[in-house]
Amino acid sequence: MLEAIRLSRYGMESQEGGPFGCVIVQNNQIVGHGNNHVTSSNDPTAHAEITAIRDACSKLKTYELLECELYSSCEPCPMCLGAIYWAGIKKIYFACSRQDADAIGYSDDFIYQEVPKDPRLRSIPGEQSMRDEALEVFKDWMKNPDRIVY
């Protein structure tokens, strides 16, 4: 956790992004590092957890981090939480809470409130379109003997 906190300070002081850091650990060894790079890379997805997951997957040459734990300087936002689940990380440790982040201007609560809503009723409305055409691709996917389901 101290390394995640160190990375949060490093990223902030280096003006790479917000004050967030993260490490991925496997077998008591850090295999992925990340700090927030949102503003320096002009990438709204470059959160500390995402950059750490990308680093660990690259180093381990896998898209699954099943035997890994994540240490973050702050409770992951909904986007990062989704990525953590997709990566298969087995446990999350965090220092600051989302309420602590809200107190310094990083409020994720509105996203947590949006997720369970019907897509048409969200503040950014969603509308389904061309489902039948897209389902054809899904059907072809299911026929592919080389597909890798993740």
Side-chain angles (χ1 to χ4, degrees):
M1 184 61 79
L2 285 174
E3 179 63 5
I5 294 168
R6 186 194 71 75
L7 287 166
S8 71
R9 179 171 297 284
Y10 170 80
M12 177 189 67
E13 290 176 351
S14 301
Q15 297 184 345
E16 293 180 344
F20 305 98
C22 180
V23 294
I24 309 291
V25 174
Q26 183 182 60
N27 299 322
N28 296 316
Q29 298 287 343
I30 295 175
V31 295
H33 295 81
N35 60 279
N36 186 289
H37 285 87
V38 170
T39 56
S40 63
S41 67
N42 295 315
D43 179 354
T45 69
H47 289 199
E49 296 87 347
I50 301 291
T51 58
I53 288 169
R54 289 175 180 160
D55 187 43
C57 287
S58 177
K59 286 178 180 168
L60 298 174
K61 298 185 183 346
T62 183
Y63 57 88
E64 295 179 309
L65 300 173
L66 302 175
E67 297 303 316
C68 294
E69 297 176 331
L70 180 141
Y71 292 79
S72 181
S73 65
C74 188
E75 182 178 357
C77 76
M79 175 185 69
C80 293
L81 189 59
I84 291 163
Y85 274 89
W86 279 116
I89 291 169
K90 67 180 184 177
K91 186 149 186 184
I92 302 166
Y93 298 92
F94 58 90
C96 293
S97 69
R98 62 181 163 178
Q99 293 82 8
D100 296 326
D102 183 61
I104 64 165
Y106 291 91
S107 180
D108 300 326
D109 197 50
F110 75 98
I111 300 173
Y112 282 102
Q113 292 175 20
E114 289 283 297
V115 170
K117 291 180 182 176
D118 181 296
R120 297 167 296 171
L121 303 177
R122 293 179 181 151
S123 62
I124 301 174
E127 181 179 324
Q128 192 170 23
S129 174
M130 300 186 75
R131 179 177 181 261
D132 291 338
E133 292 82 355
L135 278 175
E136 290 302 317
V137 180
F138 279 14
K139 290 175 187 174
D140 290 343
W141 170 255
M142 291 304 295
K143 295 176 194 171
N144 178 356
D146 298 324
R147 71 182 183 272
I148 299 171
V149 180
Y150 53 92

